[in-house]
Amino acid sequence: MSHQSSRDRKIPATKRAPAQKRAEPEAPPPPAGLRERKKQATRLAISDVATRLFIERGFDRVTVAEVAEAAGVSVNTIFNYFATKEDLFFDRGEEVGGEPARMVRARRPGEPVLAALERGLREKGAMSVYEGARVLPFLATIEASPALKARERALFDRSEELLADALREAVGARGDDPAPQIIAALITALEWTIIREHRARLLRSEPDKKIRAALGRIAKRGFALLRDGVGSFGA
């Protein structure tokens, strides 16, 4: 479909307006904030349609063209908003992956980074248990798709990089100091362990109380091990 307006197309001279008559001024563009909200709303609407299709039929059985048709947009529009098909499903992947880094930057004055992360991840974990039943179809879709599992792992790798940067910034570490990267890897590994355990227990339909207790034990043991080695880092 052409994006050229009827006013821009050539028209016969006999039907042109008199030369001295000026065209009406175009309406000003919407404010930047409004444009951004509209973009975010469009992005969310596309992702919602895609996620519904992926859950109903399986990620690998749905094409981007089918998502576009169901959402009432073109394939090009989808790729204007999402770099990959997997990002249609993990539409908040980058935002969620940045949470550990934000926990470090928002820690209380004098609070060691490990204490801030333990507090933040425990709060996040408690909320995820509460939402378990609601996200079960989402988790089952991930487990059924090698492509989604690979993308999820890549998001965790990116989260680890962001956390390492935040740790390096928190203590003013030199670029050649490996400590921030090592600590970020250890913390991300613990978070990954908790998430995998949580998912496995949800998919087995275990009661929330039992899941919460199991995850609490893993978190307690994991952070105790980390405190023994890196607990004073960034204090």
Side-chain angles (χ1 to χ4, degrees):
M1 180 183 293
S2 171
H3 294 288
Q4 186 182 33
S5 69
S6 60
R7 189 163 51 83
D8 293 329
R9 300 190 189 109
K10 290 184 180 275
I11 57 177
T14 55
K15 295 192 177 181
R16 291 180 187 155
Q20 70 273 17
K21 187 174 181 179
R22 297 190 176 187
E24 290 294 327
E26 293 185 2
L34 177 59
R35 287 200 303 271
E36 186 60 30
R37 288 196 297 273
K38 286 183 176 179
K39 286 173 62 177
Q40 290 299 323
T42 299
R43 189 177 192 277
L44 179 61
I46 294 170
S47 177
D48 285 348
V49 169
T51 301
R52 174 177 56 79
L53 291 175
F54 295 151
I55 288 174
E56 289 175 355
R57 294 166 49 192
F59 179 81
D60 301 316
R61 295 179 179 177
V62 177
T63 67
V64 174
E66 288 172 325
V67 172
E69 182 178 1
V73 299
S74 69
V75 170
N76 285 342
T77 296
I78 285 184
F79 285 119
N80 285 338
Y81 287 93
F82 302 92
T84 68
K85 178 184 173 184
E86 289 78 10
D87 289 340
L88 283 163
F89 189 80
F90 292 117
D91 61 303
R92 295 183 59 239
E94 293 288 342
E95 176 190 344
V96 174
E99 286 181 355
R102 289 192 292 273
M103 291 173 190
V104 170
R105 292 190 171 99
R107 72 192 193 281
R108 298 162 182 166
E111 184 180 28
V113 293
L114 187 62
L117 284 164
E118 181 174 7
R119 176 169 50 80
L121 292 175
R122 281 184 179 278
E123 290 170 0
K124 177 182 173 183
M127 181 59 67
S128 67
V129 171
Y130 176 75
E131 296 178 343
R134 186 173 63 84
V135 301
L136 192 56
F138 185 88
L139 300 179
T141 304
I142 297 173
E143 289 301 302
S145 170
L148 288 179
K149 290 168 80 171
R151 177 57 178 156
E152 182 183 39
R153 184 64 254 184
L155 288 170
F156 267 89
D157 290 343
R158 177 58 179 156
S159 178
E160 180 183 319
E161 292 173 8
L162 294 172
L163 178 56
D165 289 342
L167 294 172
R168 195 171 289 111
E169 175 188 306
V171 299
R174 301 189 312 273
D176 60 352
D177 184 351
Q181 192 67 55
I182 293 169
I183 294 169
L186 292 170
I187 291 168
T188 304
L190 175 57
E191 184 182 11
W192 179 244
T193 299
I194 293 170
I195 285 173
R196 295 295 302 171
E197 184 70 17
H198 181 205
R199 183 175 306 169
R201 289 175 178 272
L202 276 175
L203 293 172
R204 292 197 298 267
S205 300
E206 292 188 6
D208 286 353
K209 184 176 180 180
K210 185 176 180 180
I211 294 175
R212 190 176 293 108
L215 299 186
R217 287 193 299 271
I218 294 172
K220 182 178 180 180
R221 179 59 173 155
F223 278 108
L225 290 169
L226 289 172
R227 277 194 299 272
D228 287 344
V230 298
S232 62
F233 183 84

